[in-house]
Amino acid sequence: MNQTIEVNLSDVLTRLETKIDRLQSDVTEIKIDVEKLKTQNEQMNKRIDLIEKRIDGLDSRLNTLTIGFLSIVGILVTGLLTAVAKLISLPNF
């Protein structure tokens, strides 16, 4: 019940070489894809840095506006309280 399989060694080597060539081309494609991804990653990082700078600029502007607004409100409230205090304490003038 022993079966003997005869295979030509050159055919086996040819198939192996073909498979190795396919693997090598696949690896080359993967390397190219990885380089493309690295480039895209660098571009995205640059975009994110630009967006962060813009947000920081907007944040500082908002802080300036908030401080200015609160200062004006504080001055107005102080003025109104002073006027009310004068009206209460000196109603005849």
Side-chain angles (χ1 to χ4, degrees):
M1 293 224 153
N2 286 337
Q3 295 181 353
T4 308
I5 300 175
E6 289 186 30
V7 176
N8 190 352
L9 189 58
S10 66
D11 290 340
V12 171
L13 284 174
T14 303
R15 280 189 266 151
L16 281 174
E17 285 176 348
T18 303
K19 288 182 181 185
I20 289 173
D21 288 341
R22 270 193 247 137
L23 285 172
Q24 193 171 17
S25 68
D26 289 346
V27 167
T28 303
E29 286 180 26
I30 290 171
K31 285 181 179 180
I32 291 170
D33 290 342
V34 166
E35 288 301 319
K36 287 180 183 177
L37 288 173
K38 284 181 183 177
T39 302
Q40 289 175 353
N41 188 25
E42 289 173 3
Q43 291 172 349
M44 293 298 288
N45 285 339
K46 288 178 184 177
R47 283 182 175 176
I48 289 171
D49 289 342
L50 289 174
I51 290 171
E52 285 177 349
K53 287 179 184 177
R54 289 178 72 186
I55 288 173
D56 288 343
L58 290 173
D59 188 42
S60 65
R61 287 183 202 166
L62 180 63
N63 287 340
T64 303
L65 286 173
T66 302
I67 290 170
F69 176 74
L70 291 177
S71 297
I72 291 170
V73 168
I75 291 169
L76 289 174
V77 168
T78 303
L80 286 173
L81 289 174
T82 303
V84 168
K86 282 185 179 183
L87 285 175
I88 291 173
S89 67
L90 302 171
N92 295 333
F93 292 107

Coordinates of all heavy atoms in Angstrom, one line a residue:
M1 N 0.8 -1.2 0.0 CA 0.0 0.0 0.0 C 0.9 1.3 0.0 O 0.4 2.3 0.3 CB -0.9 0.0 1.2 CG -1.9 -1.1 1.2 SD -3.3 -0.2 1.8 CE -4.6 -1.2 1.0
N2 N 2.0 1.1 -0.2 CA 2.9 2.3 -0.4 C 2.7 2.8 -1.8 O 2.9 2.2 -2.8 CB 4.4 1.9 -0.2 CG 4.7 1.6 1.3 OD1 4.0 2.1 2.1 ND2 5.7 0.9 1.5
Q3 N 2.4 4.1 -1.8 CA 2.3 4.8 -3.1 C 3.5 5.6 -3.3 O 4.0 6.3 -2.4 CB 1.1 5.6 -3.1 CG -0.2 4.8 -3.0 CD -1.4 5.7 -3.1 OE1 -1.3 6.9 -3.1 NE2 -2.6 5.1 -3.2
T4 N 4.0 5.6 -4.5 CA 5.2 6.4 -4.8 C 4.7 7.5 -5.7 O 4.0 7.3 -6.7 CB 6.2 5.5 -5.6 OG1 6.5 4.3 -4.8 CG2 7.5 6.3 -5.8
I5 N 5.1 8.7 -5.3 CA 4.8 9.9 -6.1 C 6.1 10.4 -6.7 O 7.0 10.7 -6.0 CB 4.1 11.0 -5.2 CG1 2.9 10.4 -4.6 CG2 3.9 12.2 -6.0 CD1 2.3 11.3 -3.6
E6 N 6.0 10.5 -8.0 CA 7.2 11.0 -8.7 C 6.9 12.4 -9.1 O 5.9 12.8 -9.7 CB 7.4 10.2 -10.0 CG 7.9 8.8 -9.7 CD 8.3 8.0 -10.9 OE1 8.7 8.7 -11.9 OE2 8.2 6.8 -10.9
V7 N 7.8 13.3 -8.6 CA 7.7 14.7 -8.9 C 9.0 15.2 -9.5 O 10.1 14.8 -9.0 CB 7.4 15.5 -7.7 CG1 7.3 17.0 -7.9 CG2 6.1 15.0 -7.1
N8 N 8.9 15.9 -10.5 CA 10.1 16.5 -11.1 C 10.7 17.6 -10.2 O 9.9 18.5 -9.9 CB 9.8 17.0 -12.5 CG 11.1 17.3 -13.3 OD1 12.2 17.3 -12.7 ND2 10.9 17.6 -14.5
L9 N 11.9 17.5 -9.8 CA 12.5 18.5 -8.9 C 12.5 19.9 -9.5 O 12.3 20.9 -8.8 CB 13.9 18.0 -8.5 CG 14.5 18.8 -7.4 CD1 13.7 18.8 -6.1 CD2 15.9 18.2 -7.1
S10 N 12.7 20.0 -10.8 CA 12.8 21.3 -11.4 C 11.4 22.0 -11.4 O 11.3 23.2 -11.3 CB 13.3 21.2 -12.8 OG 12.4 20.5 -13.6
D11 N 10.3 21.2 -11.5 CA 9.0 21.7 -11.4 C 8.7 22.3 -10.0 O 8.1 23.4 -9.9 CB 7.9 20.7 -11.8 CG 7.9 20.3 -13.2 OD1 8.4 21.0 -14.1 OD2 7.4 19.2 -13.5
V12 N 9.1 21.6 -9.0 CA 9.0 22.0 -7.7 C 9.7 23.3 -7.4 O 9.2 24.3 -6.9 CB 9.4 20.9 -6.7 CG1 9.4 21.5 -5.3 CG2 8.5 19.7 -6.8
L13 N 11.0 23.4 -7.9 CA 11.8 24.6 -7.8 C 11.1 25.8 -8.5 O 11.1 26.9 -8.0 CB 13.2 24.3 -8.3 CG 14.1 23.5 -7.3 CD1 15.4 23.2 -8.0 CD2 14.3 24.2 -6.0
T14 N 10.6 25.5 -9.7 CA 10.0 26.6 -10.5 C 8.8 27.1 -9.7 O 8.6 28.3 -9.6 CB 9.6 26.0 -11.8 OG1 10.7 25.5 -12.5 CG2 8.9 27.1 -12.7
R15 N 8.0 26.2 -9.2 CA 6.8 26.7 -8.4 C 7.2 27.5 -7.1 O 6.6 28.5 -6.8 CB 5.9 25.5 -8.0 CG 5.0 25.0 -9.1 CD 4.0 24.0 -8.7 NE 4.7 22.7 -9.0 CZ 4.4 21.6 -8.3 NH1 3.6 21.6 -7.3 NH2 5.0 20.5 -8.6
L16 N 8.3 27.0 -6.5 CA 8.8 27.7 -5.3 C 9.3 29.1 -5.7 O 9.0 30.1 -5.0 CB 9.9 26.9 -4.6 CG 9.4 25.8 -3.7 CD1 10.6 25.0 -3.3 CD2 8.6 26.2 -2.5
E17 N 10.0 29.2 -6.8 CA 10.5 30.5 -7.2 C 9.4 31.4 -7.6 O 9.4 32.6 -7.3 CB 11.5 30.3 -8.4 CG 12.8 29.7 -8.1 CD 13.7 29.4 -9.3 OE1 13.2 29.5 -10.4 OE2 14.9 29.2 -9.1
T18 N 8.4 30.9 -8.2 CA 7.2 31.7 -8.5 C 6.5 32.3 -7.3 O 6.2 33.4 -7.2 CB 6.2 30.9 -9.4 OG1 6.8 30.4 -10.5 CG2 5.0 31.7 -9.8
K19 N 6.4 31.4 -6.3 CA 5.8 31.8 -5.0 C 6.6 32.9 -4.3 O 6.1 33.8 -3.8 CB 5.5 30.6 -4.1 CG 4.4 29.8 -4.6 CD 4.1 28.6 -3.7 CE 2.9 27.8 -4.3 NZ 2.6 26.7 -3.4
I20 N 7.9 32.6 -4.3 CA 8.9 33.6 -3.7 C 8.8 34.9 -4.4 O 8.8 36.0 -3.8 CB 10.3 33.0 -3.7 CG1 10.4 31.9 -2.7 CG2 11.3 34.1 -3.4 CD1 11.7 31.1 -2.7
D21 N 8.7 34.9 -5.8 CA 8.6 36.2 -6.5 C 7.3 36.9 -6.2 O 7.3 38.1 -6.0 CB 8.7 35.9 -8.0 CG 10.1 35.5 -8.5 OD1 11.0 35.7 -7.8 OD2 10.1 34.9 -9.6
R22 N 6.2 36.2 -6.0 CA 5.0 36.8 -5.7 C 5.1 37.4 -4.3 O 4.6 38.5 -4.0 CB 3.8 35.8 -5.7 CG 3.2 35.8 -7.1 CD 1.8 35.0 -7.0 NE 2.0 33.8 -7.8 CZ 1.7 32.6 -7.5 NH1 1.0 32.4 -6.4 NH2 1.9 31.6 -8.3
L23 N 5.6 36.7 -3.4 CA 5.8 37.2 -2.0 C 6.7 38.4 -2.0 O 6.4 39.4 -1.3 CB 6.4 36.1 -1.1 CG 5.5 35.0 -0.6 CD1 6.3 33.9 0.1 CD2 4.4 35.5 0.2
Q24 N 7.7 38.4 -2.8 CA 8.6 39.5 -2.8 C 7.9 40.8 -3.4 O 8.1 41.9 -2.9 CB 9.9 39.2 -3.7 CG 11.0 40.2 -3.6 CD 12.2 39.7 -4.3 OE1 12.2 38.8 -5.1 NE2 13.4 40.3 -3.9
S25 N 7.1 40.6 -4.4 CA 6.4 41.7 -4.9 C 5.3 42.2 -3.9 O 5.1 43.4 -3.8 CB 5.7 41.4 -6.3 OG 4.7 40.4 -6.1
D26 N 4.7 41.3 -3.2 CA 3.8 41.7 -2.2 C 4.5 42.5 -1.1 O 3.9 43.5 -0.6 CB 3.1 40.5 -1.5 CG 2.1 39.8 -2.5 OD1 1.7 40.4 -3.5 OD2 1.7 38.7 -2.2
V27 N 5.6 42.1 -0.7 CA 6.4 42.8 0.4 C 6.8 44.2 -0.2 O 6.7 45.2 0.6 CB 7.7 42.0 0.8 CG1 8.6 42.9 1.6 CG2 7.3 40.8 1.5
T28 N 7.2 44.3 -1.4 CA 7.5 45.6 -2.0 C 6.3 46.5 -2.0 O 6.4 47.7 -1.7 CB 8.0 45.4 -3.5 OG1 9.1 44.5 -3.4 CG2 8.4 46.7 -4.1
E29 N 5.1 46.0 -2.4 CA 3.9 46.8 -2.3 C 3.6 47.2 -0.9 O 3.1 48.4 -0.7 CB 2.7 46.0 -2.9 CG 2.7 45.8 -4.4 CD 1.6 44.9 -4.9 OE1 0.5 44.9 -4.2 OE2 1.7 44.3 -5.9
I30 N 3.8 46.4 0.0 CA 3.5 46.7 1.4 C 4.4 47.8 1.9 O 4.0 48.8 2.5 CB 3.6 45.5 2.4 CG1 2.4 44.5 2.1 CG2 3.7 45.9 3.8 CD1 2.6 43.2 2.8
K31 N 5.7 47.7 1.5 CA 6.7 48.8 1.8 C 6.3 50.1 1.2 O 6.3 51.2 1.9 CB 8.1 48.4 1.4 CG 8.7 47.4 2.2 CD 10.1 47.1 1.7 CE 10.8 46.0 2.5 NZ 12.2 45.7 2.0
I32 N 5.8 50.1 0.0 CA 5.3 51.3 -0.7 C 4.1 51.9 0.1 O 4.0 53.1 0.3 CB 5.0 51.1 -2.2 CG1 6.3 50.8 -2.9 CG2 4.3 52.2 -2.8 CD1 6.1 50.3 -4.3
D33 N 3.2 51.0 0.4 CA 2.0 51.5 1.1 C 2.4 52.1 2.5 O 1.8 53.1 2.9 CB 1.0 50.3 1.3 CG 0.4 49.9 0.0 OD1 0.4 50.7 -0.9 OD2 -0.2 48.8 0.0
V34 N 3.3 51.5 3.2 CA 3.8 52.0 4.5 C 4.4 53.4 4.3 O 4.1 54.3 5.1 CB 4.8 51.0 5.2 CG1 5.5 51.7 6.3 CG2 4.0 49.7 5.6
E35 N 5.2 53.6 3.3 CA 5.8 54.9 3.0 C 4.7 55.9 2.7 O 4.8 57.1 3.2 CB 6.8 54.8 1.9 CG 8.1 54.1 2.2 CD 8.8 54.8 3.4 OE1 8.9 56.0 3.4 OE2 9.3 54.0 4.2
K36 N 3.7 55.5 2.0 CA 2.5 56.4 1.7 C 1.8 56.8 3.0 O 1.5 58.0 3.2 CB 1.6 55.8 0.7 CG 2.0 55.7 -0.7 CD 1.0 55.1 -1.6 CE 1.5 54.9 -3.0 NZ 0.5 54.3 -3.9
L37 N 1.6 55.8 3.9 CA 1.0 56.1 5.1 C 1.8 57.0 6.0 O 1.3 57.9 6.7 CB 0.7 54.8 5.9 CG -0.4 53.9 5.3 CD1 -0.5 52.6 6.0 CD2 -1.7 54.6 5.4
K38 N 3.1 56.8 6.0 CA 4.0 57.7 6.8 C 3.9 59.1 6.3 O 3.8 60.1 7.1 CB 5.5 57.2 6.7 CG 5.8 56.0 7.5 CD 7.3 55.6 7.4 CE 7.6 54.4 8.1 NZ 9.0 54.0 7.9
T39 N 3.9 59.3 4.9 CA 3.7 60.6 4.4 C 2.4 61.3 4.8 O 2.3 62.4 5.2 CB 3.9 60.6 2.8 OG1 5.1 60.0 2.5 CG2 3.8 61.9 2.2
Q40 N 1.3 60.5 4.7 CA 0.0 61.0 5.0 C 0.0 61.3 6.5 O -0.6 62.3 6.9 CB -1.1 60.0 4.7 CG -1.3 59.8 3.2 CD -2.3 58.7 2.9 OE1 -2.7 58.0 3.8 NE2 -2.7 58.6 1.7
N41 N 0.6 60.5 7.3 CA 0.7 60.8 8.8 C 1.4 62.1 9.1 O 1.0 62.9 9.9 CB 1.3 59.6 9.5 CG 1.3 59.7 11.0 OD1 0.4 60.3 11.5 ND2 2.2 59.1 11.7
E42 N 2.5 62.3 8.4 CA 3.2 63.6 8.6 C 2.4 64.8 8.1 O 2.4 65.8 8.8 CB 4.5 63.6 7.7 CG 5.6 62.6 8.3 CD 6.8 62.5 7.4 OE1 6.8 63.1 6.3 OE2 7.7 61.7 7.7
Q43 N 1.6 64.6 7.0 CA 0.8 65.7 6.6 C -0.3 66.0 7.6 O -0.7 67.1 7.9 CB 0.2 65.4 5.2 CG 1.2 65.4 4.1 CD 0.6 64.9 2.8 OE1 -0.5 64.3 2.7 NE2 1.4 65.1 1.7
M44 N -0.9 64.9 8.1 CA -2.0 65.1 9.1 C -1.4 65.7 10.4 O -2.1 66.6 11.0 CB -2.6 63.7 9.5 CG -3.4 63.1 8.3 SD -4.7 64.1 7.8 CE -5.8 63.8 9.2
N45 N -0.2 65.4 10.8 CA 0.4 66.0 12.0 C 0.6 67.5 11.7 O 0.4 68.3 12.6 CB 1.7 65.3 12.3 CG 1.5 64.0 13.0 OD1 0.5 63.7 13.5 ND2 2.6 63.1 12.9
K46 N 1.0 67.9 10.5 CA 1.2 69.3 10.2 C -0.1 70.0 10.3 O -0.2 71.1 10.8 CB 1.8 69.5 8.8 CG 3.3 69.1 8.8 CD 3.8 69.2 7.4 CE 5.3 68.7 7.3 NZ 5.8 68.8 5.9
R47 N -1.2 69.4 9.7 CA -2.5 70.0 9.8 C -3.0 70.2 11.2 O -3.5 71.2 11.6 CB -3.5 69.2 9.0 CG -3.4 69.3 7.6 CD -4.5 68.5 6.9 NE -4.6 68.6 5.5 CZ -5.4 68.0 4.7 NH1 -6.2 67.1 5.2 NH2 -5.3 68.2 3.4
I48 N -2.7 69.2 12.0 CA -3.2 69.2 13.4 C -2.4 70.3 14.2 O -3.0 71.1 15.0 CB -2.9 67.9 14.1 CG1 -4.0 66.9 13.6 CG2 -3.0 68.0 15.6 CD1 -3.7 65.4 14.0
D49 N -1.1 70.5 13.9 CA -0.3 71.6 14.5 C -0.9 72.9 14.1 O -1.0 73.8 14.9 CB 1.2 71.5 14.1 CG 1.9 70.3 14.7 OD1 1.3 69.7 15.7 OD2 2.9 69.9 14.2
L50 N -1.2 73.1 12.8 CA -1.8 74.4 12.4 C -3.1 74.6 13.1 O -3.4 75.8 13.5 CB -2.0 74.4 10.9 CG -0.7 74.4 10.0 CD1 -1.0 74.3 8.5 CD2 0.0 75.7 10.3
I51 N -3.9 73.6 13.2 CA -5.2 73.8 13.8 C -5.0 74.1 15.3 O -5.7 75.0 15.9 CB -6.1 72.5 13.7 CG1 -6.5 72.4 12.2 CG2 -7.3 72.5 14.6 CD1 -7.2 71.1 11.9
E52 N -4.1 73.5 16.0 CA -3.8 73.8 17.4 C -3.4 75.3 17.5 O -3.8 75.9 18.5 CB -2.7 72.9 17.9 CG -3.2 71.5 18.2 CD -2.1 70.5 18.7 OE1 -0.9 70.9 18.6 OE2 -2.5 69.4 19.2
K53 N -2.5 75.8 16.6 CA -2.1 77.2 16.7 C -3.3 78.1 16.5 O -3.4 79.1 17.2 CB -1.0 77.4 15.6 CG 0.3 76.8 15.9 CD 1.3 77.1 14.8 CE 2.6 76.4 15.1 NZ 3.6 76.6 14.0
R54 N -4.2 77.8 15.6 CA -5.3 78.6 15.3 C -6.2 78.6 16.6 O -6.8 79.7 17.0 CB -6.1 78.1 14.1 CG -5.4 78.4 12.8 CD -6.2 77.9 11.6 NE -7.3 78.7 11.4 CZ -8.3 78.5 10.5 NH1 -8.1 77.4 9.8 NH2 -9.3 79.3 10.3
I55 N -6.4 77.5 17.2 CA -7.2 77.4 18.4 C -6.6 78.2 19.5 O -7.3 78.9 20.3 CB -7.5 75.9 18.8 CG1 -8.4 75.2 17.8 CG2 -8.0 75.8 20.2 CD1 -8.6 73.8 18.0
D56 N -5.3 78.1 19.7 CA -4.6 78.9 20.7 C -4.8 80.4 20.5 O -5.1 81.1 21.4 CB -3.1 78.6 20.7 CG -2.8 77.2 21.3 OD1 -3.7 76.6 21.9 OD2 -1.7 76.7 21.1
G57 N -4.7 80.8 19.2 CA -5.0 82.2 18.9 C -6.4 82.6 19.2 O -6.6 83.7 19.8
L58 N -7.4 81.8 18.8 CA -8.8 82.1 19.2 C -9.0 82.1 20.7 O -9.8 82.9 21.2 CB -9.7 81.1 18.5 CG -9.8 81.1 17.0 CD1 -10.6 80.0 16.4 CD2 -10.4 82.5 16.5
D59 N -8.4 81.2 21.4 CA -8.5 81.1 22.8 C -8.0 82.4 23.5 O -8.6 83.0 24.4 CB -7.7 79.9 23.4 CG -8.0 79.7 24.8 OD1 -9.2 79.8 25.3 OD2 -7.0 79.4 25.6
S60 N -6.8 82.9 23.0 CA -6.3 84.1 23.6 C -7.2 85.3 23.3 O -7.4 86.2 24.1 CB -4.9 84.4 23.1 OG -4.8 84.6 21.7
R61 N -7.8 85.4 22.0 CA -8.7 86.4 21.7 C -9.9 86.4 22.6 O -10.4 87.4 23.0 CB -9.1 86.3 20.2 CG -8.0 86.7 19.3 CD -8.6 86.7 17.8 NE -7.5 86.5 16.9 CZ -7.7 86.2 15.6 NH1 -8.9 85.9 15.2 NH2 -6.7 86.1 14.8
L62 N -10.4 85.2 22.8 CA -11.6 85.1 23.6 C -11.3 85.5 25.0 O -12.2 86.1 25.7 CB -12.1 83.6 23.6 CG -13.4 83.3 24.4 CD1 -14.6 84.1 23.8 CD2 -13.7 81.8 24.4
N63 N -10.2 85.1 25.5 CA -9.8 85.6 26.9 C -9.7 87.1 27.0 O -10.2 87.7 28.0 CB -8.5 84.9 27.3 CG -8.6 83.5 27.6 OD1 -9.7 83.0 27.9 ND2 -7.5 82.8 27.5
T64 N -9.2 87.7 26.0 CA -9.1 89.2 25.9 C -10.5 89.8 25.9 O -10.7 90.7 26.7 CB -8.3 89.6 24.7 OG1 -7.0 89.0 24.8 CG2 -8.1 91.1 24.7
L65 N -11.3 89.3 25.1 CA -12.7 89.8 25.0 C -13.4 89.6 26.3 O -14.2 90.5 26.8 CB -13.5 89.1 23.9 CG -13.1 89.6 22.4 CD1 -13.8 88.7 21.4 CD2 -13.4 91.0 22.2
T66 N -13.3 88.5 26.9 CA -14.0 88.2 28.2 C -13.5 89.1 29.3 O -14.3 89.7 30.0 CB -13.7 86.7 28.6 OG1 -14.1 85.8 27.6 CG2 -14.4 86.4 29.9
I67 N -12.2 89.3 29.4 CA -11.7 90.2 30.4 C -12.2 91.7 30.1 O -12.6 92.4 31.0 CB -10.1 90.2 30.4 CG1 -9.7 88.8 30.9 CG2 -9.5 91.3 31.2 CD1 -8.2 88.6 30.8
G68 N -12.2 92.1 28.9 CA -12.7 93.4 28.5 C -14.1 93.6 28.9 O -14.6 94.6 29.4
F69 N -14.9 92.6 28.5 CA -16.4 92.6 28.8 C -16.6 92.7 30.3 O -17.5 93.5 30.8 CB -17.1 91.4 28.2 CG -18.5 91.3 28.5 CD1 -19.4 92.2 27.9 CD2 -19.0 90.4 29.4 CE1 -20.8 92.1 28.1 CE2 -20.4 90.3 29.7 CZ -21.3 91.2 29.1
L70 N -16.0 91.8 31.0 CA -16.2 91.8 32.5 C -15.7 93.1 33.1 O -16.3 93.6 34.1 CB -15.5 90.6 33.1 CG -16.1 89.2 32.8 CD1 -15.2 88.1 33.4 CD2 -17.5 89.1 33.2
S71 N -14.7 93.7 32.6 CA -14.2 95.0 33.1 C -15.3 96.1 32.9 O -15.6 96.9 33.8 CB -12.9 95.4 32.4 OG -11.9 94.5 32.7
I72 N -15.8 96.1 31.7 CA -16.9 97.1 31.4 C -18.1 96.8 32.3 O -18.7 97.8 32.8 CB -17.3 97.0 29.9 CG1 -16.1 97.6 29.1 CG2 -18.5 97.8 29.6 CD1 -16.3 97.3 27.6
V73 N -18.5 95.6 32.4 CA -19.6 95.3 33.3 C -19.3 95.7 34.7 O -20.2 96.3 35.4 CB -20.0 93.8 33.2 CG1 -21.0 93.4 34.3 CG2 -20.6 93.4 31.9
G74 N -18.1 95.4 35.2 CA -17.7 95.8 36.6 C -17.8 97.4 36.7 O -18.3 97.8 37.8
I75 N -17.3 98.1 35.8 CA -17.4 99.6 35.8 C -18.8 100.0 35.9 O -19.2 100.9 36.7 CB -16.6 100.2 34.7 CG1 -15.1 99.9 34.8 CG2 -16.9 101.7 34.6 CD1 -14.3 100.2 33.6
L76 N -19.6 99.5 35.0 CA -21.1 99.9 35.0 C -21.8 99.5 36.3 O -22.5 100.4 36.8 CB -21.8 99.2 33.8 CG -21.4 99.7 32.4 CD1 -22.1 98.8 31.4 CD2 -21.8 101.2 32.3
V77 N -21.5 98.4 36.8 CA -22.2 98.0 38.1 C -21.7 98.9 39.2 O -22.5 99.4 40.1 CB -21.9 96.5 38.4 CG1 -22.2 96.2 39.8 CG2 -22.6 95.6 37.4
T78 N -20.4 99.2 39.2 CA -19.9 100.1 40.3 C -20.5 101.5 40.1 O -20.9 102.1 41.1 CB -18.3 100.2 40.1 OG1 -17.8 98.9 40.2 CG2 -17.7 101.1 41.2
G79 N -20.6 102.0 38.9 CA -21.2 103.3 38.7 C -22.7 103.3 39.2 O -23.2 104.2 39.8
L80 N -23.4 102.2 38.8 CA -24.8 102.1 39.2 C -25.0 102.1 40.7 O -25.8 102.7 41.3 CB -25.5 100.9 38.6 CG -25.8 101.1 37.1 CD1 -26.3 99.7 36.5 CD2 -26.8 102.2 36.8
L81 N -24.1 101.3 41.3 CA -24.2 101.1 42.8 C -23.8 102.5 43.5 O -24.5 102.9 44.5 CB -23.3 100.1 43.3 CG -23.7 98.6 43.0 CD1 -22.6 97.6 43.5 CD2 -25.0 98.3 43.7
T82 N -22.9 103.2 42.9 CA -22.5 104.5 43.4 C -23.7 105.5 43.3 O -24.0 106.2 44.2 CB -21.3 105.1 42.7 OG1 -20.2 104.1 42.8 CG2 -20.9 106.4 43.3
A83 N -24.4 105.4 42.1 CA -25.5 106.3 41.9 C -26.6 106.0 42.9 O -27.3 106.9 43.5 CB -26.0 106.2 40.5
V84 N -26.9 104.7 43.1 CA -28.0 104.3 44.0 C -27.6 104.7 45.4 O -28.5 105.2 46.2 CB -28.2 102.8 43.9 CG1 -29.1 102.3 45.0 CG2 -28.8 102.4 42.5
A85 N -26.4 104.5 45.8 CA -25.9 104.9 47.2 C -26.1 106.4 47.4 O -26.5 106.9 48.4 CB -24.5 104.5 47.4
K86 N -25.8 107.2 46.4 CA -25.9 108.7 46.5 C -27.4 109.1 46.6 O -27.7 110.0 47.3 CB -25.2 109.4 45.3 CG -23.7 109.4 45.4 CD -23.1 110.3 44.3 CE -21.6 110.3 44.5 NZ -21.0 111.1 43.5
L87 N -28.2 108.4 45.8 CA -29.7 108.7 45.9 C -30.2 108.3 47.2 O -31.1 109.0 47.8 CB -30.4 107.9 44.8 CG -30.2 108.5 43.4 CD1 -31.0 107.6 42.4 CD2 -30.8 109.9 43.3
I88 N -29.8 107.2 47.8 CA -30.3 106.8 49.1 C -29.8 107.7 50.2 O -30.6 108.1 51.1 CB -30.0 105.3 49.4 CG1 -30.7 104.4 48.4 CG2 -30.3 105.0 50.8 CD1 -30.3 103.0 48.5
S89 N -28.5 108.0 50.2 CA -27.9 108.8 51.3 C -28.2 110.3 51.2 O -28.3 111.0 52.2 CB -26.5 108.5 51.4 OG -25.8 109.0 50.3
L90 N -28.3 110.8 50.0 CA -28.6 112.2 49.8 C -29.8 112.5 48.9 O -29.7 112.9 47.8 CB -27.4 112.9 49.2 CG -26.0 112.8 49.9 CD1 -24.9 113.3 49.1 CD2 -26.1 113.5 51.3
P91 N -31.0 112.2 49.4 CA -32.2 112.3 48.6 C -32.6 113.7 48.3 O -33.3 114.0 47.3 CB -33.3 111.6 49.4 CG -32.8 111.7 50.8 CD -31.4 111.7 50.7
N92 N -32.2 114.7 49.0 CA -32.6 116.1 48.8 C -31.9 116.8 47.7 O -32.3 117.9 47.3 CB -32.5 116.9 50.1 CG -33.5 116.3 51.2 OD1 -34.5 115.7 50.8 ND2 -33.1 116.5 52.4
F93 N -30.7 116.4 47.3 CA -29.9 117.1 46.3 C -30.3 116.8 44.9 O -30.4 116.2 44.1 CB -28.4 116.9 46.5 CG -28.0 117.6 47.8 CD1 -27.7 116.8 48.9 CD2 -27.9 118.9 47.9 CE1 -27.2 117.4 50.1 CE2 -27.5 119.5 49.1 CZ -27.1 118.7 50.2

